[in-house]
Amino acid sequence: GRSINVRPGWARCGYSDKAAKSLFEKKEIYDLRIRLMVDALAMVVGHELGHLVKRHRGYSEISKEEAWRQENEADDFGFRLAKNSGFNPSAALITTYSFFTVLEGTRYGGHYHPPASCRIVELSDKYVLKEENQTGNGRTLATESNGTRERSKFLEALKPLREDCLSTKS
């Protein structure tokens, strides 16, 4: 098998391994980590259900462009399903990036999957930074008690993903 080197989520957010370890030793941080993983898994499972509900065709029958459209459609379905089922996929998007990169590769998703960075940026732009903030539905980063600070942290965490996405498109 092929080896994939994925930077841990805490490294993408500017934490050292030592600092992250001390955070995970605290029960409230560990509980938050588990909640984020469950929220991310809800979105990933919703994504796979999206393929079934939308009756997506097999990759051998379609072009790369159609495969990428199907993947984005399933991402959208999974995000909305998780949100409407009471999970918080907005907060779990960075965690979800780790799932996508492990499953699909670090720099690109291969022939049939768009780059993981582009997928997370697209969902973030569509739901976290635009649609949810306009409608006020659900618990989002902008509606948290520290909304402005949390939104800034989220935007900062998205920067390397946005840059990676742009570099894969050029």
Side-chain angles (χ1 to χ4, degrees), residues 12 21-22 25 40 43 67 70 126:
R12 286 191 297 280
K21 183 178 180 194
S22 71
E25 290 172 352
M43 193 176 105
Q70 285 185 173
K126 185 172 185 179

Side-chain angles (χ1 to χ4, degrees), residues 64-73 110-115:
K64 173 184 175 179
E65 292 75 22
E66 178 65 12
W68 283 27
R69 186 197 63 73
Q70 285 185 173
E71 287 301 317
N72 288 324
E73 187 176 59
H111 185 73
Y112 298 114
H113 291 90

Side-chain angles (χ1 to χ4, degrees), residues 151-166:
R151 185 178 173 92
S152 295
K153 283 182 182 178
F154 186 76
L155 287 170
E156 192 63 32
L158 277 180
K159 266 186 185 177
L161 300 181
R162 197 173 299 280
E163 289 169 6
D164 183 67
C165 178
L166 290 172

Side-chain angles (χ1 to χ4, degrees), residues 48-143:
E48 296 306 327
L49 287 172
H51 284 303
L52 296 172
V53 169
K54 299 289 185 174
R55 297 180 184 265
H56 288 160
R57 297 184 339 198
Y59 293 140
S60 63
E61 306 169 20
I62 57 176
S63 67
K64 173 184 175 179
E65 292 75 22
E66 178 65 12
W68 283 27
R69 186 197 63 73
Q70 285 185 173
E71 287 301 317
N72 288 324
E73 187 176 59
D75 286 348
D76 186 66
F77 185 93
F79 188 97
R80 287 184 292 112
L81 181 63
K83 179 179 172 275
N84 293 337
S85 299
F87 294 96
N88 187 4
S90 298
L93 278 173
I94 301 301
T95 306
T96 307
Y97 173 76
S98 298
F99 283 114
F100 286 153
T101 55
V102 167
L103 295 172
E104 300 167 7
T106 52
R107 286 290 296 162
Y108 62 94
H111 185 73
Y112 298 114
H113 291 90
S117 57
C118 296
R119 296 168 74 178
I120 299 305
V121 166
E122 185 175 314
L123 287 169
S124 298
D125 288 349
K126 185 172 185 179
Y127 290 104
V128 181
L129 302 175
K130 290 182 185 170
E131 185 176 289
E132 285 185 296
N133 292 333
Q134 290 171 358
T135 65
N137 292 335
R139 184 174 153 238
T140 67
L141 294 173
T143 60

Side-chain angles (χ1 to χ4, degrees), residues 5 7 13 15-16 28-30 34 58 71 80 88 90 95 120 136 146-147:
N5 182 13
R7 281 180 38 200
C13 296
Y15 287 98
S16 68
E28 63 274 9
I29 299 297
Y30 179 79
I34 296 301
E71 287 301 317
R80 287 184 292 112
N88 187 4
S90 298
T95 306
I120 299 305
N146 298 327

